[in-house]
PDB file of all heavy atoms in Angstrom:
ATOM      1  N   SER A 220     -22.292  10.135 -20.464  1.00  0.00           N
ATOM      2  CA  SER A 220     -22.598   9.065 -21.437  1.00  0.00           C
ATOM      3  C   SER A 220     -22.253   9.551 -22.827  1.00  0.00           C
ATOM      4  O   SER A 220     -22.642  10.623 -23.257  1.00  0.00           O
ATOM      5  CB  SER A 220     -24.040   8.681 -21.365  1.00  0.00           C
ATOM      6  OG  SER A 220     -24.413   7.721 -22.397  1.00  0.00           O
ATOM      7  N   PRO A 221     -21.476   8.722 -23.582  1.00  0.00           N
ATOM      8  CA  PRO A 221     -21.258   9.065 -25.010  1.00  0.00           C
ATOM      9  C   PRO A 221     -22.425   8.771 -25.870  1.00  0.00           C
ATOM     10  O   PRO A 221     -23.145   7.791 -25.603  1.00  0.00           O
ATOM     11  CB  PRO A 221     -20.066   8.212 -25.399  1.00  0.00           C
ATOM     12  CG  PRO A 221     -20.177   6.977 -24.490  1.00  0.00           C
ATOM     13  CD  PRO A 221     -20.762   7.479 -23.265  1.00  0.00           C
ATOM     14  N   ARG A 222     -22.655   9.601 -26.858  1.00  0.00           N
ATOM     15  CA  ARG A 222     -23.765   9.382 -27.787  1.00  0.00           C
ATOM     16  C   ARG A 222     -23.183   9.616 -29.216  1.00  0.00           C
ATOM     17  O   ARG A 222     -22.610  10.708 -29.462  1.00  0.00           O
ATOM     18  CB  ARG A 222     -24.955  10.343 -27.622  1.00  0.00           C
ATOM     19  CG  ARG A 222     -25.571  10.273 -26.167  1.00  0.00           C
ATOM     20  CD  ARG A 222     -26.261   9.002 -25.983  1.00  0.00           C
ATOM     21  NE  ARG A 222     -26.684   8.745 -24.609  1.00  0.00           N
ATOM     22  CZ  ARG A 222     -27.887   8.643 -24.153  1.00  0.00           C
ATOM     23  NH1 ARG A 222     -28.916   8.817 -25.010  1.00  0.00           N
ATOM     24  NH2 ARG A 222     -28.158   8.425 -22.926  1.00  0.00           N
ATOM     25  N   GLY A 223     -23.304   8.646 -30.086  1.00  0.00           N
ATOM     26  CA  GLY A 223     -22.731   8.772 -31.398  1.00  0.00           C
ATOM     27  C   GLY A 223     -23.701   8.350 -32.493  1.00  0.00           C
ATOM     28  O   GLY A 223     -24.501   7.464 -32.245  1.00  0.00           O
ATOM     29  N   PRO A 240     -31.539  12.058 -30.552  1.00  0.00           N
ATOM     30  CA  PRO A 240     -32.196  10.767 -30.582  1.00  0.00           C
ATOM     31  C   PRO A 240     -31.529   9.810 -29.609  1.00  0.00           C
ATOM     32  O   PRO A 240     -30.308   9.880 -29.436  1.00  0.00           O
ATOM     33  CB  PRO A 240     -31.959  10.356 -32.046  1.00  0.00           C
ATOM     34  CG  PRO A 240     -30.711  11.028 -32.489  1.00  0.00           C
ATOM     35  CD  PRO A 240     -30.736  12.351 -31.815  1.00  0.00           C
ATOM     36  N   ASP A 241     -32.299   8.950 -29.010  1.00  0.00           N
ATOM     37  CA  ASP A 241     -31.764   7.949 -28.131  1.00  0.00           C
ATOM     38  C   ASP A 241     -31.763   6.620 -28.835  1.00  0.00           C
ATOM     39  O   ASP A 241     -32.788   6.041 -29.125  1.00  0.00           O
ATOM     40  CB  ASP A 241     -32.577   7.819 -26.846  1.00  0.00           C
ATOM     41  CG  ASP A 241     -31.951   6.833 -25.864  1.00  0.00           C
ATOM     42  OD1 ASP A 241     -30.919   7.156 -25.294  1.00  0.00           O
ATOM     43  OD2 ASP A 241     -32.586   5.779 -25.669  1.00  0.00           O
ATOM     44  N   ARG A 242     -30.575   6.109 -29.159  1.00  0.00           N
ATOM     45  CA  ARG A 242     -30.431   4.844 -29.908  1.00  0.00           C
ATOM     46  C   ARG A 242     -30.372   3.678 -28.957  1.00  0.00           C
ATOM     47  O   ARG A 242     -30.088   3.841 -27.766  1.00  0.00           O
ATOM     48  CB  ARG A 242     -29.167   4.890 -30.787  1.00  0.00           C
ATOM     49  CG  ARG A 242     -29.129   6.073 -31.766  1.00  0.00           C
ATOM     50  CD  ARG A 242     -30.267   6.070 -32.727  1.00  0.00           C
ATOM     51  NE  ARG A 242     -30.189   7.180 -33.661  1.00  0.00           N
ATOM     52  CZ  ARG A 242     -31.138   7.517 -34.561  1.00  0.00           C
ATOM     53  NH1 ARG A 242     -32.283   6.882 -34.574  1.00  0.00           N
ATOM     54  NH2 ARG A 242     -30.982   8.554 -35.388  1.00  0.00           N
ATOM     55  N   PRO A 243     -30.570   2.426 -29.479  1.00  0.00           N
ATOM     56  CA  PRO A 243     -30.508   1.227 -28.623  1.00  0.00           C
ATOM     57  C   PRO A 243     -29.189   1.128 -27.842  1.00  0.00           C
ATOM     58  O   PRO A 243     -28.099   1.340 -28.428  1.00  0.00           O
ATOM     59  CB  PRO A 243     -30.718   0.071 -29.592  1.00  0.00           C
ATOM     60  CG  PRO A 243     -31.459   0.689 -30.756  1.00  0.00           C
ATOM     61  CD  PRO A 243     -30.940   2.089 -30.859  1.00  0.00           C
ATOM     62  N   GLY A 244     -29.269   0.756 -26.585  1.00  0.00           N
ATOM     63  CA  GLY A 244     -28.086   0.574 -25.768  1.00  0.00           C
ATOM     64  C   GLY A 244     -28.216  -0.665 -24.862  1.00  0.00           C
ATOM     65  O   GLY A 244     -28.854  -1.619 -25.302  1.00  0.00           O
ATOM     66  N   ASN A 245     -27.750  -0.520 -23.652  1.00  0.00           N
ATOM     67  CA  ASN A 245     -27.838  -1.671 -22.724  1.00  0.00           C
ATOM     68  C   ASN A 245     -29.029  -1.660 -21.836  1.00  0.00           C
ATOM     69  O   ASN A 245     -29.188  -2.449 -20.954  1.00  0.00           O
ATOM     70  CB  ASN A 245     -26.575  -1.757 -21.852  1.00  0.00           C
ATOM     71  CG  ASN A 245     -26.280  -0.462 -21.088  1.00  0.00           C
ATOM     72  OD1 ASN A 245     -27.223   0.352 -20.942  1.00  0.00           O
ATOM     73  ND2 ASN A 245     -25.096  -0.303 -20.585  1.00  0.00           N
ATOM     74  N   ASN A 246     -29.918  -0.619 -22.050  1.00  0.00           N
ATOM     75  CA  ASN A 246     -31.215  -0.493 -21.301  1.00  0.00           C
ATOM     76  C   ASN A 246     -30.996  -0.209 -19.831  1.00  0.00           C
ATOM     77  O   ASN A 246     -31.934  -0.436 -19.025  1.00  0.00           O
ATOM     78  CB  ASN A 246     -32.083  -1.726 -21.497  1.00  0.00           C
ATOM     79  CG  ASN A 246     -32.582  -1.804 -22.957  1.00  0.00           C
ATOM     80  OD1 ASN A 246     -32.794  -0.818 -23.631  1.00  0.00           O
ATOM     81  ND2 ASN A 246     -32.726  -3.026 -23.436  1.00  0.00           N
ATOM     82  N   ARG A 247     -29.802   0.221 -19.450  1.00  0.00           N
ATOM     83  CA  ARG A 247     -29.681   0.759 -18.086  1.00  0.00           C
ATOM     84  C   ARG A 247     -30.463   2.057 -17.895  1.00  0.00           C
ATOM     85  O   ARG A 247     -30.925   2.295 -16.789  1.00  0.00           O
ATOM     86  CB  ARG A 247     -28.154   0.986 -17.742  1.00  0.00           C
ATOM     87  CG  ARG A 247     -27.379  -0.283 -17.458  1.00  0.00           C
ATOM     88  CD  ARG A 247     -25.919   0.081 -17.215  1.00  0.00           C
ATOM     89  NE  ARG A 247     -25.780   1.113 -16.143  1.00  0.00           N
ATOM     90  CZ  ARG A 247     -25.553   0.853 -14.882  1.00  0.00           C
ATOM     91  NH1 ARG A 247     -25.460  -0.423 -14.462  1.00  0.00           N
ATOM     92  NH2 ARG A 247     -25.461   1.827 -13.989  1.00  0.00           N
ATOM     93  N   LEU A 248     -30.519   2.842 -18.927  1.00  0.00           N
ATOM     94  CA  LEU A 248     -31.334   4.069 -18.938  1.00  0.00           C
ATOM     95  C   LEU A 248     -30.853   5.101 -17.919  1.00  0.00           C
ATOM     96  O   LEU A 248     -31.619   5.905 -17.357  1.00  0.00           O
ATOM     97  CB  LEU A 248     -32.787   3.772 -18.725  1.00  0.00           C
ATOM     98  CG  LEU A 248     -33.433   2.734 -19.611  1.00  0.00           C
ATOM     99  CD1 LEU A 248     -34.902   2.582 -19.315  1.00  0.00           C
ATOM    100  CD2 LEU A 248     -33.226   3.025 -21.108  1.00  0.00           C
ATOM    101  N   ASP A 249     -29.481   5.083 -17.625  1.00  0.00           N
ATOM    102  CA  ASP A 249     -28.951   5.991 -16.600  1.00  0.00           C
ATOM    103  C   ASP A 249     -29.246   7.481 -16.921  1.00  0.00           C
ATOM    104  O   ASP A 249     -29.778   8.181 -16.107  1.00  0.00           O
ATOM    105  CB  ASP A 249     -27.440   5.767 -16.434  1.00  0.00           C
ATOM    106  CG  ASP A 249     -27.094   4.425 -15.902  1.00  0.00           C
ATOM    107  OD1 ASP A 249     -27.806   3.978 -14.962  1.00  0.00           O
ATOM    108  OD2 ASP A 249     -26.183   3.801 -16.400  1.00  0.00           O
ATOM    109  N   SER A 250     -28.881   7.904 -18.124  1.00  0.00           N
ATOM    110  CA  SER A 250     -29.019   9.280 -18.487  1.00  0.00           C
ATOM    111  C   SER A 250     -30.506   9.665 -18.569  1.00  0.00           C
ATOM    112  O   SER A 250     -30.874  10.779 -18.070  1.00  0.00           O
ATOM    113  CB  SER A 250     -28.387   9.582 -19.861  1.00  0.00           C
ATOM    114  OG  SER A 250     -26.994   9.326 -19.845  1.00  0.00           O
ATOM    115  N   LEU A 251     -31.325   8.819 -19.093  1.00  0.00           N
ATOM    116  CA  LEU A 251     -32.768   9.138 -19.211  1.00  0.00           C
ATOM    117  C   LEU A 251     -33.406   9.211 -17.842  1.00  0.00           C
ATOM    118  O   LEU A 251     -34.247  10.093 -17.620  1.00  0.00           O
ATOM    119  CB  LEU A 251     -33.422   8.079 -20.087  1.00  0.00           C
ATOM    120  CG  LEU A 251     -32.855   7.928 -21.490  1.00  0.00           C
ATOM    121  CD1 LEU A 251     -33.643   6.864 -22.286  1.00  0.00           C
ATOM    122  CD2 LEU A 251     -32.809   9.226 -22.286  1.00  0.00           C
ATOM    123  N   ARG A 296     -35.155   2.582 -39.001  1.00  0.00           N
ATOM    124  CA  ARG A 296     -35.523   2.366 -37.599  1.00  0.00           C
ATOM    125  C   ARG A 296     -35.630   3.650 -36.818  1.00  0.00           C
ATOM    126  O   ARG A 296     -34.641   4.481 -36.837  1.00  0.00           O
ATOM    127  CB  ARG A 296     -34.509   1.457 -36.965  1.00  0.00           C
ATOM    128  CG  ARG A 296     -34.425   0.059 -37.560  1.00  0.00           C
ATOM    129  CD  ARG A 296     -33.485  -0.853 -36.821  1.00  0.00           C
ATOM    130  NE  ARG A 296     -33.387  -2.177 -37.445  1.00  0.00           N
ATOM    131  CZ  ARG A 296     -32.652  -3.172 -36.965  1.00  0.00           C
ATOM    132  NH1 ARG A 296     -31.926  -2.955 -35.865  1.00  0.00           N
ATOM    133  NH2 ARG A 296     -32.583  -4.305 -37.554  1.00  0.00           N
ATOM    134  N   GLU A 297     -36.705   3.847 -36.170  1.00  0.00           N
ATOM    135  CA  GLU A 297     -36.915   5.115 -35.416  1.00  0.00           C
ATOM    136  C   GLU A 297     -36.447   4.887 -33.972  1.00  0.00           C
ATOM    137  O   GLU A 297     -36.536   3.813 -33.423  1.00  0.00           O
ATOM    138  CB  GLU A 297     -38.410   5.457 -35.428  1.00  0.00           C
ATOM    139  CG  GLU A 297     -39.005   5.723 -36.752  1.00  0.00           C
ATOM    140  CD  GLU A 297     -40.496   6.024 -36.719  1.00  0.00           C
ATOM    141  OE1 GLU A 297     -41.041   6.094 -35.581  1.00  0.00           O
ATOM    142  OE2 GLU A 297     -41.118   6.154 -37.789  1.00  0.00           O
ATOM    143  N   PRO A 298     -35.957   5.941 -33.353  1.00  0.00           N
ATOM    144  CA  PRO A 298     -35.690   5.815 -31.905  1.00  0.00           C
ATOM    145  C   PRO A 298     -36.952   5.684 -31.093  1.00  0.00           C
ATOM    146  O   PRO A 298     -38.008   6.132 -31.538  1.00  0.00           O
ATOM    147  CB  PRO A 298     -34.974   7.178 -31.587  1.00  0.00           C
ATOM    148  CG  PRO A 298     -35.457   8.100 -32.641  1.00  0.00           C
ATOM    149  CD  PRO A 298     -35.706   7.313 -33.871  1.00  0.00           C
ATOM    150  N   ARG A 299     -36.906   5.132 -29.939  1.00  0.00           N
ATOM    151  CA  ARG A 299     -38.100   5.010 -29.099  1.00  0.00           C
ATOM    152  C   ARG A 299     -38.347   6.351 -28.359  1.00  0.00           C
ATOM    153  O   ARG A 299     -39.468   6.601 -27.964  1.00  0.00           O
ATOM    154  CB  ARG A 299     -37.884   3.932 -28.059  1.00  0.00           C
ATOM    155  CG  ARG A 299     -37.778   2.508 -28.625  1.00  0.00           C
ATOM    156  CD  ARG A 299     -37.717   1.482 -27.559  1.00  0.00           C
ATOM    157  NE  ARG A 299     -37.662   0.155 -28.077  1.00  0.00           N
ATOM    158  CZ  ARG A 299     -37.632  -0.951 -27.372  1.00  0.00           C
ATOM    159  NH1 ARG A 299     -37.667  -0.883 -26.064  1.00  0.00           N
ATOM    160  NH2 ARG A 299     -37.591  -2.128 -27.968  1.00  0.00           N
ATOM    161  N   ILE A 300     -37.310   7.115 -28.194  1.00  0.00           N
ATOM    162  CA  ILE A 300     -37.429   8.330 -27.365  1.00  0.00           C
ATOM    163  C   ILE A 300     -36.310   9.301 -27.818  1.00  0.00           C
ATOM    164  O   ILE A 300     -35.358   8.950 -28.474  1.00  0.00           O
ATOM    165  CB  ILE A 300     -37.284   7.993 -25.878  1.00  0.00           C
ATOM    166  CG1 ILE A 300     -37.982   8.976 -24.965  1.00  0.00           C
ATOM    167  CG2 ILE A 300     -35.810   7.805 -25.472  1.00  0.00           C
ATOM    168  CD1 ILE A 300     -38.139   8.473 -23.554  1.00  0.00           C
ATOM    169  N   LEU A 337     -14.158  -6.386 -23.942  1.00  0.00           N
ATOM    170  CA  LEU A 337     -15.180  -5.802 -23.063  1.00  0.00           C
ATOM    171  C   LEU A 337     -15.891  -6.953 -22.242  1.00  0.00           C
ATOM    172  O   LEU A 337     -16.055  -6.856 -21.002  1.00  0.00           O
ATOM    173  CB  LEU A 337     -16.274  -5.102 -23.886  1.00  0.00           C
ATOM    174  CG  LEU A 337     -17.515  -4.634 -23.139  1.00  0.00           C
ATOM    175  CD1 LEU A 337     -17.144  -3.625 -22.041  1.00  0.00           C
ATOM    176  CD2 LEU A 337     -18.518  -4.062 -24.099  1.00  0.00           C
ATOM    177  N   LEU A 361     -21.341 -10.660 -28.842  1.00  0.00           N
ATOM    178  CA  LEU A 361     -21.406  -9.214 -28.652  1.00  0.00           C
ATOM    179  C   LEU A 361     -21.246  -8.443 -29.983  1.00  0.00           C
ATOM    180  O   LEU A 361     -22.000  -7.486 -30.260  1.00  0.00           O
ATOM    181  CB  LEU A 361     -20.360  -8.746 -27.638  1.00  0.00           C
ATOM    182  CG  LEU A 361     -20.294  -7.215 -27.413  1.00  0.00           C
ATOM    183  CD1 LEU A 361     -21.624  -6.742 -26.826  1.00  0.00           C
ATOM    184  CD2 LEU A 361     -19.162  -6.879 -26.440  1.00  0.00           C
ATOM    185  N   GLU A 364     -24.363  -8.753 -31.859  1.00  0.00           N
ATOM    186  CA  GLU A 364     -25.392  -7.808 -31.288  1.00  0.00           C
ATOM    187  C   GLU A 364     -25.147  -6.366 -31.775  1.00  0.00           C
ATOM    188  O   GLU A 364     -26.062  -5.708 -32.076  1.00  0.00           O
ATOM    189  CB  GLU A 364     -25.315  -7.881 -29.767  1.00  0.00           C
ATOM    190  CG  GLU A 364     -26.183  -6.943 -29.052  1.00  0.00           C
ATOM    191  CD  GLU A 364     -27.672  -7.262 -29.181  1.00  0.00           C
ATOM    192  OE1 GLU A 364     -28.007  -8.323 -29.713  1.00  0.00           O
ATOM    193  OE2 GLU A 364     -28.524  -6.402 -28.778  1.00  0.00           O
ATOM    194  N   TYR A 365     -23.887  -5.998 -31.831  1.00  0.00           N
ATOM    195  CA  TYR A 365     -23.547  -4.659 -32.382  1.00  0.00           C
ATOM    196  C   TYR A 365     -24.083  -4.494 -33.780  1.00  0.00           C
ATOM    197  O   TYR A 365     -24.733  -3.518 -34.139  1.00  0.00           O
ATOM    198  CB  TYR A 365     -22.048  -4.417 -32.382  1.00  0.00           C
ATOM    199  CG  TYR A 365     -21.406  -4.120 -31.052  1.00  0.00           C
ATOM    200  CD1 TYR A 365     -20.085  -4.387 -30.825  1.00  0.00           C
ATOM    201  CD2 TYR A 365     -22.148  -3.533 -29.990  1.00  0.00           C
ATOM    202  CE1 TYR A 365     -19.461  -4.101 -29.635  1.00  0.00           C
ATOM    203  CE2 TYR A 365     -21.542  -3.284 -28.808  1.00  0.00           C
ATOM    204  CZ  TYR A 365     -20.172  -3.540 -28.588  1.00  0.00           C
ATOM    205  OH  TYR A 365     -19.581  -3.238 -27.423  1.00  0.00           O
ATOM    206  N   ARG A 367     -26.428  -6.158 -35.262  1.00  0.00           N
ATOM    207  CA  ARG A 367     -27.906  -6.336 -35.337  1.00  0.00           C
ATOM    208  C   ARG A 367     -28.682  -5.193 -34.785  1.00  0.00           C
ATOM    209  O   ARG A 367     -29.765  -4.832 -35.307  1.00  0.00           O
ATOM    210  CB  ARG A 367     -28.282  -7.643 -34.602  1.00  0.00           C
ATOM    211  CG  ARG A 367     -29.744  -8.007 -34.751  1.00  0.00           C
ATOM    212  CD  ARG A 367     -30.092  -9.258 -33.882  1.00  0.00           C
ATOM    213  NE  ARG A 367     -29.856  -8.985 -32.437  1.00  0.00           N
ATOM    214  CZ  ARG A 367     -30.751  -8.334 -31.671  1.00  0.00           C
ATOM    215  NH1 ARG A 367     -31.897  -7.852 -32.232  1.00  0.00           N
ATOM    216  NH2 ARG A 367     -30.477  -8.127 -30.401  1.00  0.00           N
ATOM    217  N   SER A 368     -28.160  -4.569 -33.751  1.00  0.00           N
ATOM    218  CA  SER A 368     -29.015  -3.632 -32.945  1.00  0.00           C
ATOM    219  C   SER A 368     -28.412  -2.237 -32.811  1.00  0.00           C
ATOM    220  O   SER A 368     -28.715  -1.546 -31.853  1.00  0.00           O
ATOM    221  CB  SER A 368     -29.281  -4.176 -31.568  1.00  0.00           C
ATOM    222  OG  SER A 368     -28.046  -4.319 -30.849  1.00  0.00           O
ATOM    223  N   MET A 369     -27.574  -1.797 -33.806  1.00  0.00           N
ATOM    224  CA  MET A 369     -27.071  -0.427 -33.721  1.00  0.00           C
ATOM    225  C   MET A 369     -28.224   0.580 -33.797  1.00  0.00           C
ATOM    226  O   MET A 369     -28.150   1.644 -33.219  1.00  0.00           O
ATOM    227  CB  MET A 369     -26.082  -0.199 -34.868  1.00  0.00           C
ATOM    228  CG  MET A 369     -24.762  -0.897 -34.654  1.00  0.00           C
ATOM    229  SD  MET A 369     -23.685  -0.136 -33.453  1.00  0.00           S
ATOM    230  CE  MET A 369     -23.083   1.235 -34.397  1.00  0.00           C
ATOM    231  N   TYR A 370     -29.283   0.261 -34.523  1.00  0.00           N
ATOM    232  CA  TYR A 370     -30.427   1.128 -34.605  1.00  0.00           C
ATOM    233  C   TYR A 370     -31.704   0.328 -34.376  1.00  0.00           C
ATOM    234  O   TYR A 370     -31.703  -0.821 -34.233  1.00  0.00           O
ATOM    235  CB  TYR A 370     -30.417   1.812 -36.031  1.00  0.00           C
ATOM    236  CG  TYR A 370     -29.213   2.715 -36.257  1.00  0.00           C
ATOM    237  CD1 TYR A 370     -28.128   2.284 -36.955  1.00  0.00           C
ATOM    238  CD2 TYR A 370     -29.233   3.985 -35.682  1.00  0.00           C
ATOM    239  CE1 TYR A 370     -27.068   3.128 -37.116  1.00  0.00           C
ATOM    240  CE2 TYR A 370     -28.173   4.861 -35.825  1.00  0.00           C
ATOM    241  CZ  TYR A 370     -27.065   4.417 -36.558  1.00  0.00           C
ATOM    242  OH  TYR A 370     -26.022   5.232 -36.689  1.00  0.00           O
TER     243      TYR A 370
END
Side-chain angles (χ1 to χ4, degrees):
S220 174
R222 304 290 169 118
D241 184 69
R242 304 300 183 189
N245 57 17
N246 294 327
R247 283 179 53 95
L248 309 182
D249 295 316
S250 298
L251 304 182
R296 297 186 181 182
E297 299 178 3
R299 293 184 179 182
I300 206 166
L337 172 63
L361 178 60
E364 175 69 10
Y365 284 156
R367 186 185 62 81
S368 64
M369 289 285 283
Y370 294 100

